Amino acid sequence: MNPEGFWQMPRLWWRERWLLVGFVERELRGRYVGSIGGLVWILVHPLILLAIYTMVFQAIFRVRLPEMGASPFVVFAALGLWPWLMFQEGLQRASQAIKANSTLVRKVAFQQELLVFAATLAAFAAHLVGFLIALLALALFGVDIHWSGLPMALALVAGLFLFTLAVGLCLAVLQVFIPDMEQILGPILSVLFYATPVLYPLMAAPEWLRGIMTLNPVLHFVEPIRAVLLGNAIEAETARPFVLVAAPLLIFPALLLFRRLSPYTEDFL
Amino acid sequence: MRLDGVGKAYPMAQGAAGRLSTLWTLLRHGRFGKSFDALDGITFDVMPGQSFGLIGENGAGKSTLLKVIAGVVKPSRGSITVNGRIGALLELGAGFHPEYTGRANIYLAASLMGMARGEIRKRVDEIIAFADIGEHIDQPIKHYSSGMVVRLGFAVATATRPDILITDEVLAVGDESFQKKCIAWMETYLAGGGTLLLCSHGMFHIQKLCQKALWLQHGAMRAFGSTADVTREYLAYHEEKSRLEKCVTEAPPPLRGDTYQIRELRLNGRPFETGPHEMKQGEALTVSGHVHSPDGRTPQVAVGLVRADGSGIYGVVSEMDNFILRRVAATDFSFGLRYPDLPLLPGRYLVRGHAMDPEGLRMLDHIETTLEIHGDSRELGVCRLAHEWYIP
């Protein structure tokens, strides 16, 4: 793709903005609104996970880490879990976006990246709503949520969104050519979940491990989101302005790759 | 709309290694080694307000060509220039989700065709009225019959009012009354200056709706021109094909000398074997030749005209008209037969000649050649019958 084509993309997206709206609506409606439980389901999955982790780590392992600060485990885990779920679900949905809509891609001409945008947007929107409800609920139960940190947390969520979208775009288009990606992604996400300090503070990990762990870009978003909302100091290891800027910027090479390959997806679907 | 040398090659990648190497080639902007040319060298123009039909056998590349024009598939070679908004109905109901109601699906399907939300809201009643599926509109699509899905899909397409409408075999589905409705809509659309690209196996629709036609064969253009010419050629090709499938071609046998046999046959003076012969509608046709008689007795000869599929039109034996072949040598007899103004309509026919014994009982050989008759007549059938119109 030539450089002019690249800068034309926003114009093309704008022209098909109603399609993006339609795709997002369909994603959300398909998962939540159409079902009887409706919005409740957005909260159910994270709450069950939270209950299990609290049970295992508090009631069985009796974990009590000084690095967690003053907040109880359930609060600490909740503030890490929702951002993680945004990333995990956004990536899973995005990577499947092209393949799941193969009939559409093969029969209708439109900007295919809109499918990936919609998948990521829907996952982030759903869990962001869940996250805000959870924060409110925690505040009602008397947890000291630092609301002044909310704008910073939202900015970090936006950065995480762009990073997820970048990886999602690459996976979605490569998936068409290499079907095995679907099988690989699941195990990688399981490993990444434990490699990201969601259920424990990074400082609890031994120093040699921390060096490796900080290579994970997700960590640099999840840890600070929790820190600013709990009013904790952001650990030096996770405060890497370079990563916070570079990871969202990956969206540009990702779009280049996607636009290079997307004209040929029809040949392989 | 203009297509210039458009071609599409599909990579033939097998197994994981093939896919990986194709991926690598695509990333490097290279050409893939093993590929299948679905389309090659397609060049034509369609003017605004023109209607254009696409015909060809299964696998000829019709759908691929429509996809290339619609922008779903990127051509491997050549260029396409399109002015105007394209509405493509490559598959009716492609944008529908089975779990949602017809009404909810209208929104996404219409935005897939480039409509803004506000515009859709204004037109939604019009769409529902055109689809005419009653209260089913608020049922999930999964409970629809295929005919109902098609109705809704076409209704959405009509509402978007594209400059260029591309449809692939959509008229084949849907019942009679809906087909009529679609055709009526397309006629109004064409009258209003719309450009139509229609792909159909039904020659009737092409002939009724299209001014120009393109015949695709094995991904290349076989014929392009006025609908009447192209469809006639296409139909003749199919008649010929089904005839060839039915009976093997008989090569004129070498002279055996022991039986009555046609030695030479000419059509308008040209030897039979140099076919296909061509002539204009209404011109004279002569069939002349020599017949070998092993015992020197005067043989008879039969000449027949048949359609390309082998069904007979007219046949006559020399004896029926009391014609006696002329002896030119001891065992060689000649004859000539003239049709002063052959009433056959434009198309492809076969002329057959048979030598017969002097008693006219046995047809002893069989040679045939192709005759193509050209003309602009729009009459139907195989031959013009003498007629006149009158006011009763």
Side-chain angles (χ1 to χ4, degrees), chain B residues 14 36 49 86 89 95 142 166 186 270 281 301 324 335:
Chain B
Q14 275 168 357
F36 163 73
I86 289 191
L89 282 176
K142 63 180 174 189
I166 299 175
M186 284 188 193
R270 279 178 63 206
Q281 184 188 3
V301 69
I324 295 164
F335 74 94

Side-chain angles (χ1 to χ4, degrees), chain B residues 5-27:
Chain B
V6 168
K8 171 73 192 168
Y10 279 100
M12 298 216 286
Q14 275 168 357
R19 276 171 171 268
L20 282 175
S21 75
T22 315
L23 179 63
W24 178 238
T25 324
L26 287 174
L27 286 172

Side-chain angles (χ1 to χ4, degrees), chain B residues 255-261 263 291-300 327 329-333 355-360 362 364:
Chain B
L255 186 65
R256 287 164 56 195
D258 59 347
T259 183
Y260 302 94
Q261 196 175 344
R263 299 209 32 215
V291 182
H292 173 79
S293 165
D295 53 7
R297 294 193 301 146
T298 309
Q300 293 184 19
R327 185 194 297 271
T331 58
D332 188 15
F333 294 79
M356 299 183 80
D357 61 7
E359 292 74 32
R362 289 178 298 158
L364 295 158

Side-chain angles (χ1 to χ4, degrees), chain A residues 1 15-19 21-23 25-31 99 103-110 112 173-180 257 260-264 266-268, chain B residues 8-11 13 16 19-20 22-23 26-29 32 67 70-74 88-91 94-97 100 104 107-108 111-118 120 168:
Chain A
M1 190 178 43
R15 206 171 61 192
E16 293 183 357
R17 61 195 181 279
W18 293 112
L19 193 54
V21 172
F23 284 148
E25 266 180 13
R26 191 170 78 172
E27 277 278 327
L28 288 175
R29 203 195 288 244
R31 271 184 298 160
K99 200 138 209 182
T103 46
L104 217 52
V105 171
R106 281 163 56 206
K107 297 287 180 188
V108 186
F110 62 96
Q112 290 173 24
V173 76
L174 288 175
Q175 174 104 73
V176 176
F177 296 88
I178 310 164
D180 312 60
L257 177 79
R260 169 76 57 80
L261 292 177
S262 66
Y264 303 97
E266 194 268 353
D267 304 4
F268 284 87
Chain B
K8 171 73 192 168
Y10 279 100
R19 276 171 171 268
L20 282 175
T22 315
L23 179 63
L26 287 174
L27 286 172
R28 279 183 18 242
H29 279 297
F32 10 84
K67 278 185 181 181
V72 179
V73 174
K74 187 188 165 107
L89 282 176
L90 296 181
E91 190 175 277
F96 289 162
H97 192 288
Y100 303 154
Y107 282 86
L108 191 67
S111 46
L112 269 171
M113 300 198 69
M115 275 174 92
R117 185 56 60 102
I120 305 171
D168 188 0

